[in-house]
Coordinates of all heavy atoms in Angstrom, one line a residue:
R23 N 13.7 25.2 13.4 CA 14.1 25.9 14.6 C 15.4 26.4 14.6 O 16.4 25.7 14.2 CB 13.8 25.0 15.9 CG 14.1 25.7 17.2 CD 13.9 24.8 18.4 NE 14.7 23.6 18.4 CZ 14.8 22.7 19.4 NH1 13.8 22.7 20.3 NH2 15.6 21.7 19.2
F24 N 15.5 27.7 14.9 CA 16.9 28.3 15.0 C 17.2 28.6 16.5 O 16.5 29.3 17.1 CB 16.9 29.6 14.2 CG 18.2 30.3 14.2 CD1 19.3 29.9 13.4 CD2 18.4 31.4 15.0 CE1 20.5 30.5 13.4 CE2 19.7 32.0 15.1 CZ 20.7 31.6 14.3
S25 N 18.3 27.9 17.0 CA 18.6 28.0 18.4 C 19.9 28.4 18.7 O 20.9 28.2 17.9 CB 18.3 26.6 19.0 OG 17.0 26.1 18.8
L26 N 20.1 29.1 19.8 CA 21.4 29.3 20.3 C 21.6 28.5 21.6 O 20.8 28.7 22.6 CB 21.5 30.9 20.6 CG 21.5 31.8 19.5 CD1 21.6 33.3 19.9 CD2 22.5 31.6 18.5
V27 N 22.7 27.8 21.7 CA 23.0 26.9 22.8 C 24.4 27.2 23.4 O 25.4 27.4 22.6 CB 22.9 25.4 22.4 CG1 23.2 24.5 23.5 CG2 21.6 25.1 21.7
N28 N 24.5 27.2 24.7 CA 25.7 27.4 25.3 C 26.6 26.2 25.1 O 26.3 25.1 25.3 CB 25.5 27.5 26.9 CG 26.8 28.0 27.5 OD1 27.9 27.6 27.3 ND2 26.6 29.0 28.4
D33 N 23.0 24.6 27.7 CA 21.7 25.2 28.0 C 21.2 26.0 26.8 O 22.0 26.6 26.0 CB 21.9 26.2 29.2 CG 22.3 25.3 30.5 OD1 21.9 24.1 30.5 OD2 22.9 26.0 31.3
L34 N 19.9 26.0 26.6 CA 19.3 26.7 25.5 C 19.2 28.1 25.9 O 18.6 28.5 26.8 CB 17.9 26.1 25.2 CG 17.1 26.8 24.1 CD1 17.9 26.5 22.8 CD2 15.7 26.2 24.1
V35 N 19.9 29.0 25.1 CA 19.8 30.4 25.4 C 18.7 31.2 24.6 O 18.0 31.9 25.3 CB 21.3 31.0 24.9 CG1 21.2 32.5 25.1 CG2 22.3 30.4 25.6
W36 N 18.5 30.8 23.3 CA 17.4 31.5 22.6 C 17.0 30.6 21.5 O 17.8 29.8 20.9 CB 17.9 32.8 22.0 CG 16.9 33.5 21.2 CD1 15.9 34.3 21.7 CD2 16.8 33.6 19.8 NE1 15.0 34.8 20.7 CE2 15.7 34.4 19.5 CE3 17.6 33.1 18.8 CZ2 15.3 34.7 18.2 CZ3 17.1 33.3 17.5 CH2 16.1 34.2 17.2
S37 N 15.8 30.5 21.1 CA 15.2 29.6 20.1 C 14.1 30.3 19.3 O 13.3 31.1 19.9 CB 14.6 28.4 20.8 OG 14.1 27.5 19.8
F38 N 14.2 30.1 18.0 CA 13.1 30.7 17.1 C 12.6 29.6 16.1 O 13.4 28.9 15.5 CB 13.8 31.9 16.3 CG 12.9 32.5 15.3 CD1 11.9 33.3 15.6 CD2 13.1 32.2 14.0 CE1 11.1 33.8 14.7 CE2 12.3 32.7 12.9 CZ 11.2 33.6 13.4
H39 N 11.3 29.5 16.2 CA 10.6 28.5 15.4 C 10.1 29.2 14.1 O 9.5 30.3 14.2 CB 9.5 27.8 16.1 CG 10.0 27.1 17.3 ND1 10.3 25.7 17.2 CD2 10.2 27.4 18.6 CE1 10.8 25.3 18.4 NE2 10.7 26.3 19.3
F40 N 10.2 28.6 12.9 CA 9.6 29.2 11.8 C 9.5 28.1 10.7 O 10.0 27.0 10.8 CB 10.7 30.2 11.1 CG 12.0 29.6 10.8 CD1 12.3 29.2 9.5 CD2 13.0 29.5 11.8 CE1 13.5 28.7 9.2 CE2 14.3 29.0 11.4 CZ 14.5 28.6 10.1

Side-chain angles (χ1 to χ4, degrees):
R23 182 176 63 181
F24 181 77
S25 302
L26 294 178
V27 180
N28 191 315
D33 294 336
L34 181 63
V35 178
W36 181 78
S37 178
F38 175 71
H39 296 270
F40 61 92

